[in-house]
Structure formats: structure tokens, C-alpha cells
Amino acid sequence: MPGDPTAPDMTTQPRPVYVIGAGPGGLAVAAALRARGVRAVVVEKSDGVGASWRRHYDRLRLHTTRRLSALPGLAMPRRFGRWVSRDDVVRYLEKYAEFHELELVTGVEVTRIEPAPEGQGEGEGEGGWILHASGGRELSAAAVVVATGFNHTPALPDWPGRDTYEGRLLHAREYRNPQPYAGQDVLVVGVGNTGAEIAVDLVEGGAARVRLSVRTAPHIMRRSTAGWPAQRSGILVRRLPARLVDRLGALVAKASVPDLSAYGLPRPTTGLYSRVKQGSIPVQDVGLIDAVRSGTVEPVAAVEAFEGAEVVLADGSRITPDAVIAATGYRRALEGLVGHLGVLDERGRPRTHGARSPEQARGLYFTGFSNPISGMFREMAMDAEKIAKAVARRSRAGAA
């Protein structure tokens, strides 16, 4: 607890654990470490906590419930409601850092992580790390937790003609609200949760026409059915075989989600959980189904290219929207930070997460780089406790 006179004096620990990133994953790990008497310093390149959450569009809410989205040691207030808004997530993260008295350094960007030279780790367990940071800083760490975020760097496809497109093209990260698009013809590219929600937001905000470019038909789920949140189903089935969950998912979809094939959005041909295993989570319906059925959101083919003011679609048709919003995802952008350590897979994602530390990089941990069906906040909270336990155990072994 903050102000606890019996808490250990962690400022005497010569080399802290550095946590890179002050989002929910990083703050959760730092709090869990502090609870175990391990000094953790959170390093954040922006000027405050929850930087990526502050940049999200205005209407965003968690698709996971308030109760199942709290981080270790502090519940989310009931006044936030069941589906917590973006602004309330930011308020919660600010309060979380304050409540746990986290040691936070802002305005400093860690650019590269290197193993500590031989001998620097003596007395504190094997190895150790040197963090190269902005301003020429070199930080010595007993262990490092990378929590720079799943949605780190906007990914914009290299469409032919993209750079000479005469219309307005922006990534979804730049979208805030529908006001600038009132009365306009807008094409949203990508039918993940972000694209689906932005399309609905545009319709409700007065856009004259909204089309949704679909490359692969998504699985669509009700966020809640008869009071039962989809997240709880995700928790229950996540350990089951993918084939079984695929069959269950198909049955639930037929019972709860109308067939939108006649509107240009057919049911997917691959199973729900098989898709999740590939990194694609279902779209939680926050108005898309009704918008597609009413014709206010029009599914169209995938974008193939740009030519002048026109957008060329995969079916050969051409459209001339006023604006194109690309909800095409993000890159983790970890290559410069840890790519030289051999800890990333072919897609640039960490090969390990949570308490598992790479064989060739002991004392290096990752959290928040998956998008599980059971809820990202919940998984980060669980990872935080596991990482803290592993680091504390490793620290004790080194001091023995």
C-alpha cells in the first residue's frame, strides 16, 4: 500500500528493473514488482502514462468488462460503467501510477537494449542489461520488461499510387471523431474492430456516404448476449482445441448474428479460433450489423491501388471518396530495440511473453504483444504477476 512504513527501501537497490512503456502492461508489471520488494523504474518516451490511449478516437470503449479489465492492486471504479470509455481508461492509468507510487521517468526514449559487459551482473544474478536512451543516457538494469505496446507504429500498406493520391488518406490513428467528415463520402479500409467502429461513428456523425473495404470477411460477435459478455466466453474456451472452438463459434454465430452475405459481408470460411491463433480477433458488434443491414455502411472489395483521385478496388470498380481512412493495423516496431538479440519472430513479434524469458536473453521479458480472445487488459494483469514472481525469484537466487 502507498505510504506503508513496513515496505522495503527499494532505493538502495543499485540496479533496478527497467520497464519500458507506461501503458497498462508496463504499469501493471511495475506495481507487481514493487509489491514484491523489487525496485522498478518505468521509462516512457512521452510526457505521461497511457500515451497510446490518449491518441485513440473519441468514442472508443473497452470491449472487455470493467471487472475483468482491472490491473493488479486497484479496481476500476463502478462509476466507469460496464464498458469503460477511453477517457476513463486514461484516468484509471493515471490513478494507478499514483496509487502504487510508481517510479516513472517521462520524456526519455529507450532506443536499444544490450547485454551488460562481463562482470557487471555479479551479485545480482546472471547477466544484466544496458539500455541506450535519448540524450546519450546509458541505464544499467538487473532485468528489463519491454511493454511498448501492441499498437505502436501505424502500418499503412504500400498500395500502388498511394503517394500521389489526390484525395485525403490517413491512418486510423489520426482519426478522432466524425465532425470533419460530415457530408462527405468516406472509405474506411479494414474491417477489424477499429475499422468497424469508425465506420459506424462516421454514419452517426453525419457522413454522406460510408463504404467499408473488406479483404477478408471477419467473424462478428455480439459484445454481450443476455447480459453474458463475449469476453467470458473467450476466457472459458481459450484452452480448448481450436477445432472445437471453431465449431462452437459457428453455432453461436448462426444463432446470434444475421447472415450479411446479401449485403456484401459473407460469413467467413475459416474458423473463429483458428483466426485468433493467426492474430485476428473477432469484431465485436457496436452497431455494424444494423448499419450494414440498413445500407448506411456499404461493404466493398479490397483496395488494390490509387490512381489520381480514384481508388481502385479488387473487383475492378473505381470510386472517388473525399477521404480514405486506413484501419490497417500497427507494427510492434521492436527491431531497433531488440531485433539484434534474436528474440523476435518473422513477423517482428516477441517469441516469448510473460514470465518466459528467451534462452539467449535471460532477464528480458515482454508483455502486451498479443491480442487474446480473453481480453488484453486481463492477460497483461496476469502476466504482470508472473513476471514479478520470476524476477523476484531470479533476484533472490543472484543474491544468495
Side-chain angles (χ1 to χ4, degrees):
M1 292 290 291
D4 183 355
T6 65
D9 181 8
M10 289 174 282
T11 61
T12 61
Q13 297 177 13
R15 291 197 309 161
V17 174
Y18 277 98
V19 180
I20 306 173
L27 297 179
V29 170
L33 286 166
R34 180 177 175 83
R36 289 180 176 271
V38 178
R39 184 186 175 200
V41 178
V42 182
V43 183
E44 169 58 46
K45 69 177 182 180
S46 72
D47 60 0
V49 304
S52 65
W53 276 91
R54 297 174 193 274
R55 290 192 295 264
H56 285 312
Y57 48 93
D58 294 349
R59 73 172 280 161
L60 178 66
R61 290 181 177 271
L62 286 177
H63 290 163
T64 55
T65 66
R66 170 180 54 83
R67 288 186 176 182
L68 294 175
S69 300
L71 303 178
L74 184 66
M76 287 188 172
R78 290 187 64 183
R79 68 177 182 276
F80 286 179
R82 194 180 200 192
W83 311 107
V84 183
S85 71
R86 178 204 64 183
D87 290 347
D88 282 337
V89 168
V90 173
R91 292 187 185 98
Y92 174 71
L93 296 179
E94 291 173 339
K95 179 64 178 179
Y96 192 84
E98 177 187 352
F99 180 83
H100 288 291
E101 297 183 336
L102 300 183
E103 197 171 343
L104 180 64
V105 178
T106 60
V108 174
E109 181 178 8
V110 177
T111 56
R112 190 174 176 88
I113 300 172
E114 299 275 8
E118 289 287 334
Q120 278 200 18
E122 291 179 5
E124 295 179 12
E126 62 184 278
W129 300 92
I130 299 296
L131 280 59
H132 299 273
S134 54
R137 298 175 179 85
E138 288 192 358
L139 310 173
S140 181
V144 180
V145 182
V146 180
T148 49
F150 189 83
N151 296 334
H152 187 275
T153 301
L156 197 62
D158 189 20
W159 290 299
R162 185 191 74 183
D163 295 337
T164 56
Y165 176 53
E166 296 173 7
R168 184 182 179 193
L169 171 63
L170 64 151
H171 190 273
R173 171 175 275 192
E174 301 173 64
Y175 177 86
R176 290 294 175 271
N177 58 63
Q179 292 178 3
Y181 310 95
Q184 294 190 7
D185 181 338
V186 186
L187 173 67
V188 180
V189 184
V191 68
N193 278 293
T194 297
E197 191 157 359
I198 287 176
V200 173
D201 199 32
L202 288 164
V203 168
E204 295 177 355
R209 186 174 189 179
V210 179
R211 283 174 282 205
L212 183 59
S213 176
V214 180
R215 182 171 297 278
T216 304
H219 286 275
I220 302 175
M221 300 175 62
R222 301 289 187 183
R223 187 168 63 176
S224 179
T225 303
W228 179 264
Q231 181 189 7
R232 287 199 178 275
S233 296
I235 294 170
L236 290 174
V237 305
R238 66 169 309 197
R239 302 295 182 190
L240 297 177
R243 284 186 181 181
L244 176 58
V245 181
D246 286 347
R247 287 196 290 269
L248 292 172
L251 292 173
V252 171
K254 286 182 180 180
S256 62
V257 177
D259 186 355
L260 301 174
S261 299
Y263 303 93
L265 201 59
R267 293 193 189 276
T269 56
T270 54
L272 184 150
Y273 205 33
S274 294
R275 282 272 193 90
V276 170
K277 294 286 189 180
Q278 297 167 6
S280 178
I281 62 171
V283 171
Q284 297 217 11
D285 178 48
V286 290
L288 179 65
I289 293 173
D290 289 343
V292 169
R293 294 177 80 181
S294 68
T296 52
V297 170
E298 308 168 48
V300 297
V303 171
E304 287 293 299
F306 293 86
E307 289 185 10
E310 294 185 324
V311 180
V312 183
L313 303 180
D315 60 4
S317 61
R318 293 167 179 260
I319 59 176
T320 311
D322 297 307
V324 178
I325 301 173
T328 47
Y330 294 81
R331 295 186 296 107
R332 313 295 85 79
L334 292 169
E335 289 80 6
L337 189 67
V338 296
H340 56 288
L341 299 174
V343 296
L344 304 179
D345 65 17
E346 63 280 356
R347 294 190 295 173
R349 300 187 181 192
R351 296 181 186 276
T352 61
H353 76 277
R356 290 179 56 212
S357 193
E359 287 289 338
Q360 72 275 33
R362 291 298 187 189
L364 178 64
Y365 303 89
F366 297 90
T367 185
F369 293 100
S370 62
N371 200 3
I373 195 172
S374 51
M376 186 179 287
F377 270 56
R378 179 179 181 273
E379 292 301 314
M380 287 190 293
M382 295 169 65
D383 277 351
E385 300 285 10
K386 294 173 183 176
I387 291 171
K389 183 177 180 180
V391 170
R393 183 171 58 243
R394 183 171 176 269
S395 179
R396 289 194 299 269

